[in-house]
Amino acid sequence: MKRNLVYFQSLKKQSQPIVCLTAYDAAFAHCAAKAEVDVLLVGDSLGMVVQGHHNTLSVTLDEMVYHTKLVQRGNQQQAWCIADLPFMSDASLEQVLQSSARLIKEGGADMVKLEGGTRVLAFVETLTQLGIPVCGHLGLLPQSVLKKGYRVQGRDEAEAQRLLDEALALQEAGVDMLVLECVPSALAERVSKALKIPVIGIGAGVNTDGQVLVVYDILGLTPGHTPSFSHNFLQGANSINQAMTSYADAVRNRRFPASVHEMKA
Ligand code: KIV
């Protein structure tokens, strides 16, 4: 069944977690779609896990369009496909419109994702008025790594309140989904409850409306450091397909990330 925004809204109403996984090519996208993953995110994390860079900043729009095309070929109209707007492809309204149009028209994405709160509100309004579904991204923002580093966001009350306000403002501007990265689980729960749209967490605890992980992390393929909130689902599985199915089951039953430490034991 082709997933869509109405379906995700109904999952949120029924408190059924949405399963999201990154994908960068046709083979893994096909495998993930077969494993009933709901959302495939063509993340600019590909700069790190596929291209071997230290951060996501050098990823280009052409590369995002190329990888989105590959993913949509393997996905075969099953999972909902989100494509990231890479660093500096959303620096002005004109750029964000042109970049999003390419990801949708050439790449075949169903939705675009952009990082930030107040900075992107006007962009989100225009994109949604033009009929382009948008996913927001708050918390740890990998594209702001040079200024802020990789650290948990929203730890103190003032920062937490600002993040909640930005999430509400993004919803008001028109985003249909929000990724929340590396925030305390209590804050992620607060944001998920306050918003009508689905909130997908990564390193944000179990009480969000869904989970996303980097596919190379769940298969133990990431060179170097794997985030502590992730889990290698290939351990104990017979195939990549079984590992992805076990990730999807663990998210749907809220066994991941709740019992990630037990799973590691
Ligand atoms: O680029 C990416 O893979 C992402 C996820 C980490 C949420 O944005």
Side-chain angles (χ1 to χ4, degrees):
M1 178 196 75
K2 168 75 186 169
R3 310 299 202 261
N4 59 35
L5 293 173
V6 176
Y7 176 67
F8 297 137
Q9 206 54 62
S10 76
L11 288 182
K12 169 145 182 146
K13 281 206 185 96
Q14 296 164 51
S15 296
Q16 300 227 344
I18 297 165
V19 181
C20 176
L21 192 59
T22 68
Y24 315 106
D25 66 21
F28 279 177
H30 182 68
C31 225
K34 258 181 41 195
E36 300 286 337
V37 168
D38 297 311
V39 179
L40 293 178
L41 169 63
V42 188
D44 59 359
S45 51
L46 69 86
M48 298 169 83
V49 295
V50 178
Q51 299 174 335
H53 294 294
H54 291 300
N55 58 43
T56 63
L57 303 183
S58 54
V59 176
T60 65
L61 183 63
D62 282 344
E63 288 164 350
M64 290 307 301
V65 170
Y66 170 74
H67 283 278
T68 306
K69 271 188 207 170
L70 304 189
V71 165
Q72 283 296 56
R73 248 175 249 152
N75 177 28
Q76 294 177 338
Q77 294 294 312
Q78 179 151 335
W80 181 254
C81 175
I82 307 178
D84 264 347
L85 284 157
F87 182 57
M88 293 305 281
S89 70
D90 61 356
S92 68
L93 181 59
E94 199 183 328
Q95 261 184 321
V96 87
L97 294 181
Q98 281 175 4
S99 309
S100 303
R102 285 198 62 200
L103 289 171
I104 302 274
K105 292 172 77 163
E106 291 175 47
D110 298 312
M111 180 178 236
V112 298
K113 174 163 84 59
L114 78 185
E115 295 185 10
T118 313
R119 178 187 78 84
V120 302
L121 291 178
F123 301 168
V124 172
E125 268 175 29
T126 308
L127 286 169
T128 52
Q129 277 163 13
L130 288 166
I132 297 183
V134 183
C135 178
H137 186 151
L138 290 175
L140 190 159
L141 304 179
Q143 292 177 12
S144 301
V145 62
L146 298 181
K147 279 199 80 158
K148 297 192 170 170
Y150 293 114
R151 63 172 186 90
V152 176
Q153 300 290 308
R155 276 196 198 273
D156 64 60
E157 183 45 36
E159 226 190 285
Q161 188 58 50
R162 183 189 51 76
L163 197 144
L164 176 60
D165 292 343
E166 287 195 319
L168 288 164
L170 280 171
Q171 175 176 266
E172 186 63 27
V175 299
D176 283 299
M177 202 177 272
L178 177 70
V179 166
L180 207 47
E181 180 164 356
C182 290
V183 303
S185 58
L187 174 59
E189 183 173 4
R190 198 165 141 199
V191 174
S192 305
K193 284 194 172 142
L195 264 54
K196 294 189 204 90
I197 55 163
V199 175
I200 311 296
I202 172 161
V206 73
N207 291 315
T208 51
D209 305 308
Q211 299 290 330
V212 56
L213 285 180
V214 168
V215 64
Y216 282 30
D217 289 346
I218 74 156
L219 299 176
L221 292 175
T222 304
H225 171 74
T226 303
S228 57
F229 54 74
S230 196
H231 178 71
N232 181 350
F233 285 86
L234 195 56
Q235 268 167 6
N238 292 328
S239 64
I240 287 178
N241 189 261
Q242 202 181 76
M244 289 184 179
T245 304
S246 129
Y247 165 64
D249 287 348
V251 171
R252 289 202 172 96
N253 300 327
R254 294 199 192 271
R255 277 186 292 111
F256 179 83
S259 55
V260 70
H261 295 300
E262 286 90 317
M263 291 169 104
K264 279 191 169 135

